[in-house]
Amino acid sequence: MKKYNVAVVGATGLVGRKIVQVLEERNFPTDKLILLASNRSVGKSLYFCGEKIEVKELLPDSFKGIDIALFSAGGSVSREFAPIAVNSGTIVIDNSSAFRMDPQVPLVVPEVNGEEIKNHHGIIANPNCSTIQMVVVIKPLHDIWKVKRIVVSTYQSVTGAGKYAVDQLEAEISGKKPSIQKLPHRIAMNVIPQVDVFEEDGNTREEWKMVNETKKILGDMSVNVTATCVRVPVIGGHSESVNIEFEKNFSIDDVKRLLSSRSGVKLLDDKEKLLYPMPLLSEGKDDVFVGRIRRDVTIPNGLNLWIVADNLRKGAATNAVQIAEEYIKIL
């Protein structure tokens, strides 16, 4: 099997570290792994397949000889360095929002629209974590019953806001003052109805990401989406309450049968056993969990779902590595 030289940009962040872990777990055919980050991280090291690899500073010449670069260092870094990497002959899989809505850049969840990878021009975008887990569940339903409208409320863990948000929660729980106030308010024993910054219309940028990315991934601009994104005092795992209105009628049994047959989806739905998805159950797993499946009797063809996934894995690192796996299949 051919092996590839791989770079991880933003290697010391929560997602970057998880990407390195997932590359090893999934036995990605790696010849050489390069870890890149800002100069603040130079001298740190991570282990990959038993080898200690030192982090190097991200520079314009960092991509010479690199086949695939997985970026997770924020939008400004991606906008600056992704084109440089592409000009060096590297395929970029970008976890930031920098290129997601660019019509020339595929926005990919492999279980949903993996065929879009072949349309790349050097950059493939990894969607928002909350969008990924929702579309994995919604796409098979949309293919049969045609989604008209989605109303989604998220319950997003602090790992989605990075290490400093995790540090803030842990400090607050222990009664200490956080060294850095990453979130706009106290998060321990609280929920914050704001993820990302507010736009002029009162929606946050995260909410608009879910709206626009869902339409692009489904390949259907007629689907109406509205979102409310909330930060909750959970270390890892995003949860979503999703209300769907379909064009066609459905049966709950058919919905459950369809979802239980899908790769990457795990059905947890047994009210007698109090079985339903929770963040703790998703930790360290790559499946998207779905349950609390029931009709919404207030509208024609309405359905309620509860969806949970590990946001650092399927919501970020695993999806990026899966894109790389699909990419090398089409070479």
Side-chain angles (χ1 to χ4, degrees), residues 143-257:
D143 287 343
I144 296 179
W145 296 291
K146 183 70 168 63
V147 173
K148 290 175 60 177
R149 183 170 188 254
I150 301 167
V151 181
V152 53
S153 298
T154 70
Y155 304 74
Q156 296 179 224
S157 64
V158 292
T159 48
K163 182 180 182 301
Y164 290 133
V166 176
D167 292 345
Q168 178 181 333
L169 174 58
E170 290 178 340
E172 290 171 351
I173 289 173
S174 64
K176 299 176 183 176
K177 181 179 175 62
S179 58
I180 295 177
Q181 183 83 17
K182 173 66 176 178
L183 301 171
H185 300 281
R186 176 186 171 92
I187 186 62
M189 306 295 289
N190 193 25
V191 296
I192 302 173
Q194 176 192 352
V195 179
D196 213 324
V197 299
F198 283 103
E199 303 286 5
E200 285 295 321
D201 63 1
N203 287 292
T204 64
R205 192 171 295 168
E206 182 86 354
E207 289 156 357
W208 275 118
K209 287 175 188 175
M210 293 199 72
V211 171
N212 295 323
E213 292 177 22
T214 297
K215 292 171 180 278
K216 182 174 180 178
I217 295 166
L218 294 179
D220 189 342
M221 299 304 290
S222 73
V223 176
N224 290 312
V225 184
T226 184
T228 300
C229 295
V230 180
R231 189 75 66 193
V232 296
V234 171
I235 293 291
H238 287 357
S239 304
E240 297 172 346
S241 172
V242 182
N243 177 270
I244 307 170
E245 182 181 0
F246 294 108
E247 288 188 0
K248 303 174 184 177
N249 195 15
F250 62 89
S251 77
I252 294 296
D253 286 343
D254 285 344
V255 169
K256 290 183 177 181
R257 271 193 294 269

Side-chain angles (χ1 to χ4, degrees), residues 3 47 55 99 271 296-297:
K3 293 190 175 182
Y47 281 90
V55 176
F99 304 102
K271 63 181 183 293
D296 174 3
V297 298

Side-chain angles (χ1 to χ4, degrees), residues 34-70:
I34 303 296
L35 305 180
L36 300 170
S38 69
N39 59 9
R40 297 190 305 274
S41 294
V42 172
K44 295 181 180 179
S45 59
L46 300 176
Y47 281 90
F48 178 70
C49 296
E51 178 186 357
K52 185 177 181 181
I53 302 176
E54 287 195 3
V55 176
K56 298 181 179 179
E57 183 178 1
L58 175 63
L59 296 169
D61 64 355
S62 295
F63 302 98
K64 292 179 180 177
I66 297 297
D67 300 304
I68 301 169
L70 298 105

Side-chain angles (χ1 to χ4, degrees), residues 61-126:
D61 64 355
S62 295
F63 302 98
K64 292 179 180 177
I66 297 297
D67 300 304
I68 301 169
L70 298 105
F71 274 62
S72 189
S76 60
V77 172
S78 293
R79 281 187 286 271
E80 179 180 357
F81 284 95
I84 294 172
V86 172
N87 288 336
S88 299
T90 304
I91 294 298
V92 170
I93 299 169
D94 182 44
N95 197 54
S96 81
S97 61
F99 304 102
R100 288 175 185 161
M101 299 313 299
D102 186 327
Q104 300 300 311
V105 176
L107 182 64
V108 175
V109 179
E111 300 95 328
V112 176
N113 65 337
E115 70 281 355
E116 289 295 318
I117 291 172
K118 65 180 182 294
N119 298 322
H120 77 86
H121 299 278
I123 300 174
I124 304 166
N126 204 29

